[in-house]
Amino acid sequence: MAKDNNKLWGIDLGGTKIEGVVIDSVNISEVLCRTRIATEASKGYKHILNRIKELIDLMSAEVKSSPSILGIGTPGNLDPQTRLLKNSNSTSLNGQPFKQDLEDVLGIEVKMANDANCFALAETKLGVVQDVNPDAEVVFGVIMGTGVGGGIVVNGKVINGHQGIAGEWGHNFLDATGGKCYCGKTGCVETVISGPALERYYEQISGTHVKLKDIVTRRDGDKHAVATQERLAHFFGLGISNIINILDPDVIVLGGGVGNIGILYTEGVKEAEKYTFNTGLKTPIVKPKLGDSAGVFGAALLVG
């Protein structure tokens, strides 16, 4: 099948699903194909590689061409020195030359970034940044859900960093009460303001385990829910102020399930202002526009 340079192909690799999209290279908002299949990660590393090829073959049949280059968003980061994947919660990928192996399986060049970088890139070029500040030079994209991550886009390009960890604010120290993190450190941002961390805190102070969505809806009349959300606002503001003081982005976009909690955009912003090295907080902190679409579109835009 002929290779087509007029389309942008992207893959969003997740632990349970692999999603693919093909978009027009000129009109990047035009979707030519979008589909997903199960990752079947429990079957191992080589099976994941083959599942990606299966998805590419399905998409190629639909658009009647094949990619000459592929963008892919992954959990974890590609180490620029060793060329091995690291920091992935899909643990079978860690320590593997994933980019090289995928290029060998597909027979084409692959451009790779982590899922938070893809989120930031999509929201910059196709999403909310176009509405808030289309001339933005620096965008910080936040993923706040089961974990906490971040991605940096400068002048429309993803910044990966010397060690491939640019934007990983979720593993900065925030507060010791967060406890041990899977990364081996204590008190990481992720241990304090991720979804599971907020549920743990609510259980500690109430003696009852409650899902995060219920903690949010229980704000009226539940002092423990109020305390949990106030903790979120305070520590979000403290954590994100470090990003603002160092990077001073034009826009910050909050994604993930925790990013939907309204108090972040009111009390959270007020808390951030307390710790920002400025006379006031001028940085727009906004909700995303693309939702679940961001990752796969961002992967395709790695090629463009």
Side-chain angles (χ1 to χ4, degrees), residues 18-152:
I18 309 171
E19 184 171 11
V21 72
V22 183
I23 60 178
D24 186 272
S25 62
V26 177
N27 179 13
I28 57 176
S29 62
E30 183 181 351
V31 178
L32 305 175
C33 170
R34 187 176 179 187
T35 189
R36 62 176 63 177
I37 61 174
T39 308
E40 298 178 354
S42 62
K43 297 183 180 179
Y45 174 67
K46 290 184 178 179
H47 186 75
I48 293 172
L49 294 170
N50 290 328
R51 288 294 280 171
I52 295 170
K53 184 178 188 307
E54 288 175 34
L55 181 57
I56 294 294
D57 290 343
L58 286 172
M59 295 162 64
S60 296
E62 184 171 338
V63 299
K64 297 181 173 53
S65 65
S66 62
S68 56
I69 184 171
L70 175 72
I72 183 166
T74 63
N77 314 88
L78 186 70
D79 190 299
Q81 277 76 47
T82 66
R83 311 305 295 171
L84 304 178
L85 205 74
K86 62 184 179 183
N87 301 335
S88 175
N89 55 10
S90 294
T91 54
S92 66
L93 302 177
N94 288 328
Q96 300 286 357
F98 181 66
K99 181 178 184 293
Q100 183 61 59
D101 286 346
L102 188 58
E103 288 178 335
D104 291 344
V105 167
L106 299 178
I108 58 173
E109 181 185 355
V110 170
K111 291 196 172 183
M112 185 177 295
N114 77 14
D115 45 13
N117 282 330
C118 290
F119 165 79
L121 184 61
E123 289 293 345
T124 298
K125 290 192 172 184
L126 289 172
V128 69
V129 176
Q130 291 298 309
D131 299 333
V132 174
N133 184 356
D135 297 322
E137 294 182 348
V138 181
V139 175
F140 189 70
V142 172
I143 301 291
M144 297 170 63
T146 304
V148 175
I152 304 169

Side-chain angles (χ1 to χ4, degrees), residues 255-287:
V258 176
N260 290 322
I261 298 176
I263 198 172
L264 293 171
Y265 303 92
T266 54
E267 298 307 309
V269 171
K270 291 178 183 178
E271 289 292 315
E273 187 169 18
K274 293 179 183 178
Y275 302 103
T276 299
F277 186 57
N278 197 36
T279 54
L281 180 57
K282 314 297 184 186
T283 313
I285 299 177
V286 298
K287 293 183 178 181

Side-chain angles (χ1 to χ4, degrees), residues 180-202:
K180 290 284 289 185
C181 182
Y182 79 89
C183 74
K185 297 192 288 292
T186 297
C188 292
V189 171
E190 186 168 302
T191 69
V192 181
I193 62 172
S194 67
L198 295 168
E199 291 178 359
R200 282 196 304 273
Y201 180 74
Y202 182 92

